[in-house]
């Protein structure tokens, strides 16, 4: 697309008080103008955005693509198409594939595959330890040289403190972000839900919040000592927020993320042993959920990331203790956050844009895609009047392990542009959605 005018949309800006009604002109892949009114000649196509939101393209810094190794659950192609479907225009892939991404060669393999198969930019993390075994360091320098933008053993903690110290000292030399999946295995082993009233009632083994809090405290102390840049994955417990806040106040370059499911659900929602509410870390108490939202609004929590974790229906149909941890999230993140938090005015569009678009990009050293003159045209058109039914026909992911399956969520991702290329357009077909009759 050479030149297109997006007319009269509510433009969402990071941390701005409220979206503003603007015309947005896109020219040669960039935003050429954002103004209350832009005049164009008759030859320029116009997309009517009346009553819709224009949102900066989202960036998900926690995605499990499963390729190589478990292409029955997801591939790089289906995973990135799922991202597009959810309004996400850039992702960071986690390295816990089979084999794991623990060498420069594996990093190159993923990035080459992405160039062939993906319509959005794909970045990858490399492992902290060889084979994610937690015993010796992976080839960190080689992975960085080939393009890795983070190291993490996500899926498992780095339990050996001496290995973690060495990884942090190494990562500091490259100013590389090191990700922490914070869990003390001796405390969490065997658990499947949050330890507390709900685990006792359901008769399921619990994972205590202390497992996460102790691990975060230890990892942040080592980061402070080695002066490493540390990022805490999927924070779930209220105590964790207080620990992170304290270290931030002391000036440690620590960042962290929260998932949409930890902001929306709590352990009380697991009434019928629904394995699509089984994830690690587990859903905590309602008080924790409320504190996570506060932490996100205050800025103690920097980012929203989905922890998109595809699993086959066969595996998720096992009993609650045997089923694997994790749910998919790329396609429902924005819709569910809109339905449960934005529409109910508990979270602002501006805060969503900073936590789910500009902050993760800044942390990884990428250019933010705010809807401003001169920036790359990466944004989505969101229609709050429509609803989206989350069914097999809607999902582009190979897996459908989501608690929203079969449900309607408010809003619809109507159009997505990446560098000015329209990669998704529902403004014409109207498939999969019903008009909201209650309005
Ligand atoms: Zn993890």
């Amino acid at each position: 697309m050479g030149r297109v005018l997006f007319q009269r949309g509510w433009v969402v800006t990071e941390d701005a008080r409220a979206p503003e009604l603007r015309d947005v002109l896109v020219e040669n892949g960039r935003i050429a103008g954002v103004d209350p009114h832009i005049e164009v000649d008759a030859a320029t196509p116009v997309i009517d955005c009346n009553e819709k939101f224009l949102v900066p393209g989202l960036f998900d810094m926690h995605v499990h693509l499963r390729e190589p190794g478990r292409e029955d659950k997801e591939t790089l192609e289906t995973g990135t198409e799922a991202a597009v479907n959810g309004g996400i225009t850039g992702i960071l892939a986690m390295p816990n594939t089979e084999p794991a991404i623990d060498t420069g060669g594996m990093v190159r393999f993923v990035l080459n595959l992405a160039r062939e198969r993906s319509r959005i930019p794909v970045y990858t993390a490399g492992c902290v330890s060889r084979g994610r075994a937690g015993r010796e360091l992976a080839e960190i320098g080689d992975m960085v040289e080939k393009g890795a933008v983070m190291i993490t053993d996500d899926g498992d903690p780095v339990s050996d403190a001496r290995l973690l110290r060495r990884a942090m000292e190494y990562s500091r030399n490259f100013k590389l972000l090191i990700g922490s999946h914070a869990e003390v295995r001796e405390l969490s082993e065997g658990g499947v839900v949050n330890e507390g009233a709900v685990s006792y009632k359901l008769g399921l083994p619990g994972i205590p919040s202390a497992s996460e809090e102790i691990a975060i405290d230890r990892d942040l102390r080592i980061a402070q000592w080695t002066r490493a840049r540390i990022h805490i994955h999927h924070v779930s417990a209220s105590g964790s927020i207080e620990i992170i806040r304290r270290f931030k106040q002391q000036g440690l370059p620590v960042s962290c993320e929260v998932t949409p499911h930890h902001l929306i659900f709590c352990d009380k929602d697991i009434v019928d042993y629904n394995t699509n509410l089984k994830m690690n870390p587990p859903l905590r108490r309602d008080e924790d959920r409320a504190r996570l939202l506060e932490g996100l609004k205050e800025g103690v929590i920097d980012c929203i990331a989905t922890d998109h974790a595809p699993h086959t229906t066969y595996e998720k149909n096992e009993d609650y203790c045997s089923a694997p941890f994790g749910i998919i999230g790329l396609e429902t993140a924005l819709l569910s956050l809109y339905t449960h938090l934005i529409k109910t005015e508990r979270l602002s569009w501006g805060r969503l844009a900073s936590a789910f678009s500009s902050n993760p990009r800044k942390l990884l050293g990428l250019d933010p895609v705010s809807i401003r003159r001169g920036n790359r045209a990466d944004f989505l058109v969101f229609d709050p009047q429509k609803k989206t039914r989350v069914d097999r026909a809607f999902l582009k992911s190979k897996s459908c392990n989501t608690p929203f399956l079969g449900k309607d969520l408010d809003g619809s991702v109507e159009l997505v542009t990446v560098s000015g290329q329209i990669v998704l357009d529902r403004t014409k077909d109207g498939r999969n959605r019903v008009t909201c009759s209650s309005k």
Side-chain angles (χ1 to χ4, degrees):
M1 115 179 143
R3 189 175 147 96
V4 177
L5 182 70
F6 292 79
Q7 202 168 47
R8 283 184 307 147
W10 292 97
V11 172
V12 170
T13 317
E14 296 85 345
D15 288 325
R17 235 175 296 159
E20 291 171 324
L21 197 58
R22 293 285 182 268
D23 288 356
V24 176
L25 182 66
V26 172
E27 210 165 18
N28 300 323
R30 301 229 157 231
I31 294 170
V34 182
D35 267 304
H37 183 71
I38 297 176
E39 207 64 62
V40 287
D41 54 37
T44 303
V46 175
I47 294 173
D48 181 13
C49 297
N50 193 21
E51 301 280 300
K52 301 181 182 82
F53 292 97
L54 300 186
V55 186
L58 307 176
F59 190 98
D60 189 350
M61 69 185 300
H62 196 137
V63 178
H64 297 279
L65 288 175
R66 305 296 189 214
E67 184 170 8
R70 288 307 302 264
E71 290 85 350
D72 55 327
K73 297 185 182 195
E74 197 78 285
T75 64
L76 190 137
E77 187 172 343
T78 59
T80 52
E81 285 304 306
V84 168
N85 204 27
I88 292 164
T89 62
I91 61 164
L92 176 64
M94 290 294 111
N96 64 334
T97 48
E98 299 167 21
I101 302 164
D102 62 355
T103 63
M106 283 301 296
V107 168
R108 197 164 46 194
F109 165 79
V110 173
L111 296 180
N112 284 342
L113 194 66
R115 263 188 287 276
E116 267 174 44
R117 312 255 166 97
S118 173
R119 298 192 294 155
I120 57 168
V122 173
Y123 301 87
T124 190
C127 296
V128 169
S129 68
R130 200 179 293 262
R132 298 177 61 255
R135 283 192 285 276
E136 48 186 336
L137 284 186
E139 298 174 14
I140 297 171
D142 195 27
M143 291 191 293
V144 171
E145 197 184 299
K146 300 297 187 305
V149 293
M150 178 196 265
I151 50 168
T152 176
D153 270 359
D154 181 60
D156 290 296
V158 178
S159 296
D160 181 339
R162 191 175 64 161
L163 187 76
L164 185 64
R165 174 197 177 174
R166 291 190 52 215
M168 285 189 182
E169 286 170 343
Y170 239 92
S171 67
R172 186 192 60 209
N173 296 336
F174 303 103
K175 295 189 170 63
L176 185 67
L177 208 56
I178 178 164
S180 161
H181 169 117
E183 179 177 347
V184 177
R185 274 286 151 81
E186 291 85 348
L187 295 174
S188 63
E189 201 79 73
V192 293
V193 289
N194 179 51
E195 183 172 308
V198 170
S199 68
Y200 298 134
K201 196 172 154 199
L202 296 176
L204 292 171
I207 300 173
S209 289
S211 160
E212 175 177 296
E213 292 157 2
I214 294 168
I216 290 178
D217 193 72
R218 184 202 71 162
D219 289 7
L220 294 187
R221 278 166 198 267
I222 300 176
Q224 195 169 43
W225 166 30
T226 58
R227 303 193 309 281
R229 290 179 65 215
I230 182 169
H231 178 80
I232 310 293
H233 297 302
H234 43 55
V235 172
S236 70
S238 60
S240 304
I241 299 170
E242 296 322 311
I243 297 165
I244 294 165
R245 184 200 307 276
R246 198 174 72 232
F247 278 89
K248 278 193 167 185
Q249 282 166 350
Q250 292 169 17
L252 182 75
V254 51
S255 56
C256 65
E257 71 195 25
V258 64
T259 69
H261 49 266
H262 285 109
L263 291 169
I264 293 169
F265 299 109
C266 70
D267 58 358
K268 281 188 185 149
D269 293 311
I270 314 169
V271 281
D272 54 355
Y273 299 88
N274 178 1
T275 58
N276 283 334
L277 291 174
K278 178 181 176 182
M279 62 282 290
N280 188 20
L283 298 173
R284 304 283 183 190
R285 301 163 307 163
D286 194 39
E287 301 96 281
D288 293 282
R289 191 198 49 69
R291 287 297 300 125
L292 290 172
L293 183 58
E294 280 308 306
L296 177 66
K297 285 158 91 167
E298 290 165 19
V300 181
I301 296 176
D302 306 84
C303 302
I304 296 170
T306 67
D307 195 4
H308 180 82
H311 291 295
T312 61
T313 306
Y314 171 76
E315 291 166 297
K316 274 294 195 183
N317 278 346
E318 291 180 69
D319 66 273
Y320 203 92
C321 284
S322 313
F325 290 102
I327 60 170
I328 58 170
L330 288 166
E331 295 165 275
T332 54
L334 178 60
L335 295 167
S336 60
L337 290 169
Y338 176 74
T339 304
H340 292 275
L341 301 179
I342 296 177
K343 195 181 172 195
T344 55
E345 294 184 353
R346 292 191 291 159
L347 183 70
S348 69
W349 273 113
R351 188 63 198 130
L352 176 117
S354 54
F356 209 175
S357 178
S358 57
N359 286 353
R361 284 187 170 94
K362 281 182 206 159
L363 279 173
L364 298 170
L366 311 172
D367 289 335
V369 294
S370 325
I371 303 176
R372 288 200 188 100
R373 191 190 162 95
N375 276 355
R376 212 169 66 225
D378 269 31
F379 59 84
L380 63 109
V381 178
F382 187 87
D383 188 342
Q385 306 294 337
K386 287 187 178 172
K387 283 179 183 270
T388 299
R389 173 149 299 167
V390 183
D391 57 13
R392 195 52 270 184
F394 167 74
L395 295 170
K396 306 286 181 223
S397 172
K398 269 199 177 182
S399 297
C400 53
N401 51 312
T402 164
F404 300 111
L405 189 66
K407 301 208 161 83
D408 283 348
L409 289 171
D410 293 325
S412 168
V413 177
E414 286 294 281
L415 186 145
V416 179
T417 129
V418 178
S419 293
Q421 297 292 316
I422 294 177
V423 290
L424 177 105
D425 187 359
R426 287 199 179 95
T427 55
K428 295 166 192 106
D429 65 4
R431 205 169 65 89
N432 270 332
R433 42 204 40 78
V434 287
T435 312
C436 182
S437 52
S438 63
K439 288 205 167 150

